[in-house]
């Protein structure tokens, strides 16, 4: 079996070196790859319609006789058009092909075929243009449709898969043990492989998919749990004394109970422990996660170690640097900043002091994890806005010390089912309480035609001393165009509507010192209005800002809108979020209305997951999870089932190192290797 899986596809008949290279382009090198190359869609040929019943515009499968041989004729541009008339006992329809000189050989007059395609109409009546077809002897089936590449069509792939399946023995080893399969009603791997490619009907396809999806999620689930239990050795960091109480005396406010709980969780993770902390602090935007991180950093530093705090953007790193510097003003903690935009000489001197240990608290961006950065004795690594970092980056920061403690912070509320997997390797503290005196942000939807009224409203707030963000429309072509649009938007405002109001502009293409300059001015209320692209999405904290206007709100995901909205409502003022919706569609409206109905990030995340899938939690950002081949993070039901199956497996087999789980373990390794994440060892 194993050797069959590894056999190169070129050993299959009909696949020479050239074709094998094309398969390679799709990531298919071996027979195993081929079997795991699941169809991207299916054509349902199992329900055959009568020609008399067809509706224009629909895609159907018909069973019909080709009346007379296909006729070829030449049309403009030297193209060949091939036509034929097919009929069943209810009517007839024309089939049309372009530039396919083999059609008349493949379809014979007087023979009966299945035809599958979209039904259109022209002056001659009903037709199918370029339908796919197969002889009646093929039977009524569901046909797989594979992702193709230039020179390699779905049909060729399907032929190869058919050969590969024929080579498989009747019974093959199954990573899911029999007992597990029978308890959860999952079919065998052999059956599933067969039916995912060539299902007899809908039911067999569903069963195959259920089995494969469940297996993949179980493998991921167990792999993540294993990372948590085994991935890290003993920590050399010795935390003997708790400095939380002392830290609290620096604060201008008292911690909320939820903050106290989270900080206490962290301290109990690290006090007199040899296993390193792996904790996620999850709390909605504005819930006050930064001080929790600061409190743990303080404890670690006072015990003689260094702490590192990594933020995803320069703006955010700079802001945290200022917060920390202020907090630790009258202490022995030496705070420094390390970001990519510092001058080379500045970076060098920070790195030197870091390696020597004179800097005890370092705040920075990805610059912290480059090879050049060394620590003297890193005791704690903190990552802010975890969804912006991958598991691999987290691991890189940890590698800067000897199994230092890890604290990750996330404002992205992830639905529980998904969180269990994504953060399967972390313990979780949830901050479910906002600091006192916060007024919930009022959210409204407006159309572009109401913009004038919105500007008047901003003006009134500005007169009161407040500030506003305006998030510019995203022009979808790319970042440079977004920036151009933002520049234009800001220029227009400065010249016309807000010619007497200080307007700033910040976007992702600016140099970081320029960005910093603008942000500093906004923080100091030297700008009343800040026009921005989504660079302000994460973390930025200006409590005096009370309005955020989001242009083209319909182009954002709900979770992203929620993050953006989190830029206001951070102080004692009533704040407003104005979503400008340029689309009149009902679906969009409903989606945006979720924003008006709730300020609860978790509810929004659930809605988002239902409506858009998990893309918004990860986007194109690297989340560090393995790439899934069939399962889908948005499929809550399967996530739940896989959780149960994984629990059951661990209950029955103690841990994944038991012999019955040998094959499953191989699958875990395979999945995690593919994703570039850690593997088992
Ligand atoms: P986030 O959880 O989004 O990272 P921050 O840590 O930036 O939130 O905190 C948001 C704001 O709330 C900051 O201005 C911070 O100083 C303030 N804050 C945090 N905790 C409290 C508290 N317990 N009482 C009052 N204000 C607080
Ligand atoms: Mg934050």
């Amino acid at each position: 079996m194993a050797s069959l899986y590894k056999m190169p596809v070129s050993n299959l008949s009909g696949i020479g070196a050239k074709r094998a290279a094309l398969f390679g382009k799709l990531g298919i090198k071996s027979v195993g790859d081929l079997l795991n190359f699941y169809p991207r869609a299916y054509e349902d040929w199992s329900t055959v319609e009568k020609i008399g019943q067809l509706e224009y515009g629909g895609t159907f499968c018909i069973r019909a006789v080709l009346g007379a041989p296909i006729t070829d004729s030449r049309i403009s541009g030297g193209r060949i058009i091939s036509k034929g008339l097919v009929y069943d006992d209810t009517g007839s329809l024309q089939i049309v092909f372009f530039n396919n000189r083999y059609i008349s050989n493949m379809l014979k007059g007087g023979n009966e075929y299945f035809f599958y395609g979209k039904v259109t109409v022209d002056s001659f009546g009903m037709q199918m243009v370029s339908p796919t077809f197969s002889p009646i002897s093929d039977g009524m089936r569901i046909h797989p449709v594979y992702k193709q590449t230039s020179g390699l069509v779905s049909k060729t792939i399907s032929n190869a898969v058919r050969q590969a399946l024929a080579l498989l023995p009747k019974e093959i080893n199954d990573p899911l043990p029999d007992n597990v399969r029978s308890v959860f009603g999952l079919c065998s791997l052999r059956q599933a492989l067969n039916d995912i490619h060539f299902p007899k009907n809908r039911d067999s396809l569903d069963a195959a998919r259920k089995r494969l999806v469940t297996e993949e999620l179980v493998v991921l689930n167990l792999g993540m749990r294993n990372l948590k239990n085994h991935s890290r050795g003993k920590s050399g960091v010795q935390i003997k004394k708790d400095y939380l109480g002392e830290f609290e005396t620096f604060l201008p406010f008292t911690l909320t109970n939820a903050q106290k709980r989270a900080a206490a969780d962290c301290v109990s993770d690290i006090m007199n422990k040899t296993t390193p902390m792996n904790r996620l602090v999850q709390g909605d935007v504005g819930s006050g996660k930064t001080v929790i991180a600061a409190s743990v950093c303080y404890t670690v530093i006072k015990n003689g170690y260094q702490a590192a705090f990594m933020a995803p953007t320069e703006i955010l790193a700079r802001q945290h640097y200022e917060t920390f510097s202020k907090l630790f003003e009258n202490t022995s903690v030496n705070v420094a900043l390390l970001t990519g935009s510092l001058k080379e000489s500045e970076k060098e001197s920070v790195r030197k002091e870091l390696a020597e240990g004179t800097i005890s608290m370092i705040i920075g961006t990805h610059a912290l994890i480059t090879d050049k950065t060394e620590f003297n004795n890193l005791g704690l690594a903190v990552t802010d806005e975890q969804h912006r970092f991958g598991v691999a980056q987290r691991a890189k920061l940890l590698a800067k010390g000897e199994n230092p403690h890890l604290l990750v912070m996330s404002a992205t509320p992830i639905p529980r089912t998904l969180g269990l997997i994504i953060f399967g390797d972390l313990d979780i503290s949830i901050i479910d309480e906002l600091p006192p005196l916060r007024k919930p942000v009022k959210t409204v939807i407006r159309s572009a035609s109401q913009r004038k009224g919105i500007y008047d409203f901003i003006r009134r707030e500005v007169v009161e001393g407040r500030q506003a963000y305006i998030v510019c429309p995203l022009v979808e072509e790319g970042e440079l165009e977004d920036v151009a649009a933002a520049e234009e938007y800001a220029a227009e405002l400065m010249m016309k509507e807000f010619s007497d109001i200080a307007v700033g502009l910040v976007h992702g293409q600016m140099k970081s010192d320029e960005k910093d300059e603008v942000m500093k001015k906004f923080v100091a209320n030297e700008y009343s209005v800040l026009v921005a692209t989504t660079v302000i999405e994460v973390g930025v904290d200006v409590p005096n800002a009370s309005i955020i206007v989001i242009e083209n709100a319909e182009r954002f995901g709900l979770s992203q809108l929620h993050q953006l909205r989190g830029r206001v409502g951070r102080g004692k003022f009533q704040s407003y979020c104005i979503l400008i919706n340029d689309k009149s569609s009902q679906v969009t409206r409903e989606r945006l209305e979720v924003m008006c109905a709730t300020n609860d990030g978790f509810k929004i995340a659930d809605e988002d997951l239902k409506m858009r899938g998990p893309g918004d939690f990860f986007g194109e950002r690297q989340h560090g999870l393995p790439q899934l081949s069939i399962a889908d993070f948005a499929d809550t039901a399967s996530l739940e089932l896989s959780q149960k199956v994984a629990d059951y497996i661990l209950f029955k087999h103690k841990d994944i190192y038991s012999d019955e789980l040998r094959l499953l373990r191989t699958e875990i390794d395979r999945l995690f290797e593919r994703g570039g994440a850690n593997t088992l060892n």
Side-chain angles (χ1 to χ4, degrees):
M1 237 286 284
S3 57
L4 175 64
Y5 261 75
K6 290 204 176 108
M7 188 170 100
V9 278
S10 54
N11 284 20
L12 297 173
S13 78
I15 305 185
K18 216 165 126 199
R19 220 172 232 174
L22 293 174
F23 275 94
K25 262 197 185 163
L26 292 171
I28 305 167
K29 299 211 161 61
S30 63
V31 167
D33 296 338
L34 183 63
L35 289 171
N36 292 330
F37 190 75
Y38 305 131
R40 67 166 177 79
Y42 297 87
E43 287 178 356
D44 190 353
W45 298 46
S46 66
T47 336
V48 168
E49 294 297 331
K50 289 290 182 191
I51 292 178
Q53 247 82 77
L54 300 183
E55 284 166 25
Y56 300 138
T59 299
F60 300 100
C61 181
I62 56 169
R63 176 180 175 146
V65 176
L66 177 63
I70 295 277
T71 55
D72 291 340
S73 48
R74 229 163 245 291
I75 51 169
S76 62
R79 296 199 301 162
I80 301 169
I81 183 168
S82 313
K83 288 184 181 175
L85 197 69
V86 301
Y87 62 87
D88 65 12
D89 54 4
T90 64
S92 66
L93 153 156
Q94 181 165 246
I95 51 169
V96 182
F97 300 87
F98 291 99
N99 279 338
N100 190 335
R101 56 183 76 243
Y102 307 108
I103 283 296
S104 42
N105 290 333
M106 292 196 281
L107 291 172
K108 298 279 181 226
N111 283 2
E112 194 174 23
Y113 300 91
F114 291 116
F115 295 95
Y116 181 94
K118 189 170 169 183
V119 175
T120 51
V121 66
D122 80 348
S123 46
F124 299 104
M126 209 154 44
Q127 63 178 18
M128 275 187 184
V129 177
S130 309
T132 36
F133 51 87
S134 75
I136 295 303
S137 58
D138 270 10
M140 286 159 43
R141 285 190 290 105
I142 295 180
H143 290 234
V145 180
Y146 296 93
K147 182 177 167 211
Q148 338 189 85
T149 182
S150 156
L152 187 61
V153 296
S154 177
K155 187 94 185 161
T156 315
I157 300 171
S158 129
N159 285 340
V161 173
R162 201 182 285 281
Q163 273 190 65
L165 283 170
L167 291 175
L168 277 191
K170 273 220 157 45
E171 302 219 345
I172 59 174
N173 291 332
D174 200 317
L176 289 181
D178 291 354
N179 61 348
V180 175
R181 290 202 337 260
S182 72
V183 168
F184 293 95
L186 301 168
C187 70
S188 71
L189 177 61
R190 179 71 179 88
Q191 186 73 44
L193 282 177
N194 215 63
D195 291 352
I196 199 71
H197 291 287
F198 302 107
K200 282 179 281 303
N201 50 44
R202 285 272 141 196
D203 288 346
S204 61
L205 175 58
D206 289 346
R209 185 177 285 141
K210 177 179 169 190
R211 142 80 210 213
L212 294 170
V213 165
T214 308
E215 180 187 318
E216 187 165 46
L217 291 175
V218 165
V219 162
L220 177 61
N221 195 313
L222 291 175
M224 291 303 284
R225 290 196 212 191
N226 198 64
L227 276 182
K228 175 167 163 178
N229 296 336
H230 296 270
S231 65
R232 298 179 61 200
K234 283 194 163 43
S235 174
V237 182
Q238 291 184 14
I239 305 299
K240 298 233 165 72
K241 189 163 178 240
D242 171 2
Y243 286 85
L244 273 186
E246 188 174 310
F247 174 81
E248 280 184 65
T249 63
F250 313 151
L251 292 175
F253 45 72
T254 41
L255 293 176
T256 63
N257 286 329
Q259 284 173 315
K260 282 188 186 149
R261 267 198 310 273
D265 286 345
C266 297
V267 169
S268 89
D269 281 351
I270 61 177
M271 281 273 284
N272 302 314
K273 291 280 162 63
T274 51
T275 37
M277 164 167 80
N278 277 312
R279 183 166 292 277
L280 166 73
V281 170
Q282 198 177 37
D284 214 337
V285 282
S287 60
K289 293 181 292 295
T290 318
V291 287
I292 295 173
S295 73
V296 189
C297 289
Y298 188 67
T299 294
V300 168
I301 293 167
K302 292 297 275 187
N303 278 275
Y305 296 90
Q306 293 173 299
F309 188 121
M310 184 160 73
T313 64
E314 294 255 353
I315 293 181
L316 211 49
R318 167 80 57 179
Q319 188 180 303
H320 285 322
Y321 170 69
E322 268 148 28
T323 306
F324 277 58
S325 301
K326 217 184 220 148
L327 269 176
F328 296 137
E329 210 167 12
N330 300 314
T331 69
S332 56
V333 177
N334 184 11
V335 187
L337 179 71
L338 182 63
T339 66
S341 72
L342 293 185
K343 282 201 214 82
E344 227 22 73
S345 59
E346 289 171 325
K347 272 189 256 184
E348 225 162 82
S349 98
V350 169
R351 287 196 168 114
K352 186 160 166 282
E353 287 185 63
L354 203 54
E356 284 166 356
T358 35
I359 291 169
S360 48
M361 178 76 240
I362 185 83
I363 293 161
T365 52
H366 294 78
L368 290 178
I369 53 175
T370 58
D371 290 342
K372 285 193 197 137
T373 308
E374 280 174 38
F375 287 79
N376 183 32
N377 61 347
L378 181 63
L380 170 69
V382 186
T383 59
D384 193 20
E385 306 296 345
Q386 174 57 33
H387 65 295
R388 290 293 185 100
F389 296 107
V391 174
Q393 288 165 316
R394 207 203 281 164
K396 255 194 171 153
L397 186 55
L398 290 176
K400 301 280 179 194
E402 281 170 34
N403 282 318
H405 296 294
L406 170 71
L407 177 59
V408 308
M409 298 196 295
S410 174
T412 315
I414 289 189
R416 206 188 65 91
T417 42
L418 194 55
L420 279 173
I421 290 195
I422 295 174
F423 297 126
D425 60 336
L426 299 170
D427 298 306
I428 302 182
S429 301
I430 290 179
I431 313 186
D432 51 6
E433 181 184 359
L434 291 181
L437 301 176
R438 291 276 168 81
K439 296 195 179 79
V441 179
K442 285 192 180 144
T443 304
V444 293
I445 304 172
R446 294 286 179 264
S447 66
S449 62
Q450 291 166 296
R451 208 175 268 127
K452 175 84 179 72
I454 297 169
Y455 290 154
D456 289 345
F457 180 58
I458 293 180
R459 180 178 290 282
R460 284 200 296 278
E461 284 283 303
V462 166
V463 169
E464 296 283 314
R466 300 291 79 73
Q467 291 164 277
Y469 295 99
I470 301 180
V471 179
C472 266
L474 286 171
V475 212
E476 272 156 356
E477 285 88 59
E479 210 183 339
L480 286 174
E481 285 82 355
D482 286 350
V483 167
E487 275 168 349
E488 201 174 301
Y489 191 106
E492 174 121 3
L493 272 186
M494 288 175 204
M495 280 183 316
K496 296 186 184 152
E497 205 62 50
F498 292 154
S499 57
D500 55 338
I501 288 176
V503 179
L505 168 69
V506 65
H507 60 67
Q509 294 287 310
M510 283 162 89
K511 290 216 188 74
S512 8
D513 44 351
E514 293 171 341
K515 260 190 275 186
D516 285 345
E517 208 37 54
V518 176
M519 286 315 293
K520 256 193 223 147
K521 283 193 173 164
F522 190 62
V523 172
N525 201 356
E526 286 171 38
Y527 288 134
S528 298
V529 174
L530 184 67
V531 176
T533 56
T534 51
V535 291
I536 57 149
E537 176 197 344
V538 292
V540 176
D541 186 39
V542 182
N544 191 48
S546 65
I547 301 181
I548 184 161
V549 177
I550 304 172
E551 292 276 357
N552 284 122
E554 74 279 356
R555 299 206 187 159
F556 295 91
L558 293 183
S559 294
Q560 205 183 359
L561 289 175
H562 183 64
Q563 289 289 324
L564 286 167
R565 174 167 67 184
R567 295 315 105 221
V568 299
R570 300 172 80 88
K572 51 184 182 294
F573 311 106
Q574 176 59 56
S575 295
Y576 306 87
C577 171
I578 302 168
L579 304 173
I580 301 187
N581 174 21
D582 274 349
K583 240 191 179 154
S584 53
S585 100
Q586 184 63 28
V587 187
T588 313
R589 178 93 201 176
E590 270 168 28
R591 210 163 64 81
L592 292 180
E593 261 159 18
V594 174
M595 294 294 298
C596 305
T598 180
N599 271 302
D600 179 336
F602 281 91
K603 273 199 198 129
I604 289 170
D606 268 333
E607 287 298 324
D608 222 11
L609 189 64
K610 267 189 238 141
M611 292 193 243
R612 299 190 8 141
D616 234 39
F617 302 117
F618 312 127
E620 288 111 63
R621 295 162 202 154
Q622 180 208 357
H623 49 65
L625 282 180
Q627 181 90 42
L628 298 181
S629 60
I630 187 164
D632 175 352
F633 287 123
D635 178 359
T636 319
S638 300
L639 284 168
E640 267 162 20
L641 174 63
S642 70
Q643 184 73 19
K644 284 196 195 115
V645 177
D647 285 344
Y648 179 84
I649 289 177
L650 290 180
F651 167 72
K652 280 278 167 197
H653 300 277
K654 300 277 185 303
D655 67 36
I656 60 165
Y657 294 95
S658 84
D659 198 48
E660 296 95 321
L661 300 180
R662 191 173 34 84
L663 290 167
L664 199 56
R665 222 160 48 233
T666 316
E667 293 304 317
I668 296 178
D669 271 343
R670 275 231 300 249
L671 184 68
F672 279 68
E673 264 164 38
R674 206 166 64 208
N678 308 11
T679 50
L680 299 181
N681 43 41

